[in-house]
């Protein structure tokens, strides 16, 4: 690690200790060391990213599902199958432990906003709240382990392991779909408002493992900056975000525990 990186790391450790309100935004990169494929860019652990092999408009959009429900359903069933045994890595665990310490001490608010749908933050102990209270986990893009009816939105609680046909809703006969936010769909307004509040009110914004290309999540960093927050990015491939104050060029699982466990 070069001297600038070492200096950045020391400065970020101090920021973490002195911050009052922290907003953490994570993306697929925080789960790469758990063996879950990212969407863009390259990850040592999982090689080629999903969007280099599949078309997101076909497989992660509402239009794609309406066009070919079976194909989209089966792609999500494949993703659930390959990811069902994946475990949280040191980054997920360090975030969850920091949140717990902060809640116990009452000295800091640490709110976690994730774009990830893999459920690993929750598995690591971060606490999802549909309608966030400060210090919890906000799953902006939903959760791949949950399903609901496209027509009446009723939750579908049946176990769908191995189900290859699109299940039918028991209430209205509609189509069951994964409870994730697809391209072209609006985010849950309560979650989005909670995420905006966390970014707006924080004095430290940590962007971890995201390519910052998907909106509106990618706009949270700018919102935090506009209110004077310090911006830290942890990513082996630094993004073009010009508002980043401290760039930690490295893996989340390697660097994040060093930053918060001191
Ligand atoms: C919406 C589904 C209102 C779940 C996903 C404004 C401007 C431009 C475009 C838009 C805009 N507003 C809306 C849009 C359209 C669109 C959009 O943003 N398009 C982009 C691509 C231009 N947004 C939407 O449609 C959103 N809806 O805004 O509603 C509306 C409605 C209609 C019309 C207009 C507006 C909905 C967005 C949600 C889409 N759903 N997924 C699923 O199947 O997973 S997006 C998908 O990308 C995932 O959710 C993912 O989380 C998300 C973001 O990707 P990242 O998490 O950043 O992951 P990525 O692979 O890209 O990057 C990983 C990074 O990790 C890399 O940088 C890599 O270097 C790094 N890394 C690798 N290893 C490590 C690491 N980092 C640390 N440690 C490591 N070890
Ligand atoms: Zn229904």
């Amino acid at each position: 690690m070069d001297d600038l990186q070492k200096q950045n790391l020391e400065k970020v450790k101090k920021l973490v200790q002195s911050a009052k309100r922290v907003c953490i935004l994570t993306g697929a990169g925080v789960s790469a060391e758990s063996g879950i494929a990212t969407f863009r860019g390259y990850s040592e652990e999982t090689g080629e990213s999903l969007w280099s092999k599949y078309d997101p408009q076909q497989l992660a959009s509402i239009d794609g599902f309406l066009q070919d429900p079976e194909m989209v359903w089966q792609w999500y069933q494949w993703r659930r199958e390959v990811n069902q045994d994946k475990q949280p890595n040191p980054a997920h665990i360090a975030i969850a432990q920091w949140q717990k310490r902060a809640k116990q001490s009452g000295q800091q608010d640490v709110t976690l906003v994730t774009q990830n749908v893999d459920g690993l933050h929750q598995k690591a102990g971060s606490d999802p709240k549909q309608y966030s209270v400060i210090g919890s986990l906000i799953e902006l893009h939903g959760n791949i382990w949950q399903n609901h009816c496209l027509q009446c939105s009723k939750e579908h609680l049946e176990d769908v392991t191995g189900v290859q046909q699109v299940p039918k809703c028991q209430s209205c006969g509609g189509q069951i779909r994964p409870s994730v936010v697809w391209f072209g769909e609006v985010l849950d307004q309560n979650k989005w408002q909670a995420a905006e509040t966390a970014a707006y009110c924080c004095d430290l914004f940590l962007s971890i493992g995201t390519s910052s290309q998907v909106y509106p999540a990618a706009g949270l960093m700018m919102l935090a900056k506009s209110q004077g927050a310090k911006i830290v990015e942890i990513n082996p491939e630094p993004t073009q975000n010009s508002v980043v104050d401290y760039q930690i060029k490295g893996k989340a699982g390697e660097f994040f525990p060093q930053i918060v466990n001191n």
Side-chain angles (χ1 to χ4, degrees):
M1 179 191 293
D2 64 28
D3 287 349
L4 176 63
Q5 280 290 301
K6 282 191 189 127
Q7 283 165 25
N8 276 353
L9 209 54
E10 290 314 309
K11 282 184 191 150
V12 172
K13 284 179 190 172
K14 289 197 175 59
L15 282 173
V16 160
Q17 282 153 9
S18 59
K20 284 278 158 278
R21 282 175 306 285
V22 181
C23 181
I24 303 173
L25 173 67
T26 61
V30 84
S31 295
E33 289 152 275
S34 297
I36 294 189
T38 56
F39 293 90
R40 303 168 190 83
Y42 180 77
S43 122
E44 241 170 68
E45 288 72 18
T46 55
E48 283 313 306
S49 52
L50 287 177
W51 297 155
S52 66
K53 292 183 277 193
Y54 303 102
D55 175 2
Q57 288 316 319
Q58 245 194 332
L59 292 168
S61 79
I62 183 65
D63 297 339
F65 182 75
L66 295 172
Q67 228 161 16
D68 190 339
E70 304 296 340
M71 179 175 68
V72 174
W73 173 262
Q74 286 164 13
W75 187 66
Y76 276 87
Q77 285 296 74
W78 167 75
R79 276 180 64 194
R80 292 191 255 228
E81 200 186 315
V82 297
N83 292 330
Q84 62 186 343
D85 301 330
K86 298 293 189 296
Q87 296 304 321
N89 67 54
H92 297 106
I93 293 163
I95 292 173
Q97 288 173 343
W98 183 16
Q99 286 189 296
K100 278 205 177 82
R101 285 200 303 273
K103 257 197 177 133
Q104 278 155 4
S105 73
Q107 307 293 318
Q108 285 181 318
D109 291 331
V110 181
T111 300
L112 171 58
V113 180
T114 189
Q115 300 169 89
N116 298 345
V117 298
D118 56 34
L120 289 187
H121 283 305
Q122 186 173 346
K123 243 183 186 174
S126 291
D127 174 23
K129 292 242 178 328
Q130 178 80 12
Y131 305 101
S132 164
V133 289
I134 290 287
S136 69
L137 159 63
I138 306 166
E139 292 179 314
L140 272 190
H141 293 163
N143 188 307
I144 201 170
W145 305 109
Q146 292 159 12
N147 298 289
H148 67 272
C149 173
L150 178 70
Q151 278 70 23
C152 75
S153 301
K154 190 168 184 313
E155 249 195 306
H156 183 77
L157 299 170
E158 300 283 302
D159 176 11
V160 294
T161 311
V163 174
Q164 287 309 311
Q165 303 304 316
V166 176
K168 287 264 169 276
C169 172
Q170 283 147 353
S171 303
C172 75
Q175 296 163 303
I176 297 301
R177 50 159 294 173
S179 298
V180 299
V181 179
W182 280 324
F183 286 108
E185 290 191 309
V186 289
L187 279 61
D188 173 294
Q189 286 313 298
N190 291 298
K191 288 186 186 180
W192 177 241
Q193 240 136 51
E196 276 193 314
T197 305
Y200 188 85
C201 298
C202 74
D203 49 351
L204 177 60
F205 187 90
L206 300 165
S207 175
I208 308 175
T210 179
S211 61
S212 296
Q213 290 183 33
V214 172
Y215 287 82
L220 291 171
M221 180 189 279
M222 198 56 97
L223 182 61
K225 185 72 180 184
S226 69
Q227 295 308 314
K230 284 287 180 218
I231 310 292
V232 177
E233 183 176 82
I234 303 178
N235 193 325
E237 293 172 25
T239 64
Q240 306 306 319
N241 285 315
S242 56
V243 296
V244 172
D245 297 299
Y246 300 99
Q247 182 72 48
I248 307 288
K249 192 171 180 304
K251 293 183 180 181
E254 193 181 328
F255 285 98
F256 194 75
Q258 292 180 41
I259 289 167
V260 291
N261 292 341
N262 275 299

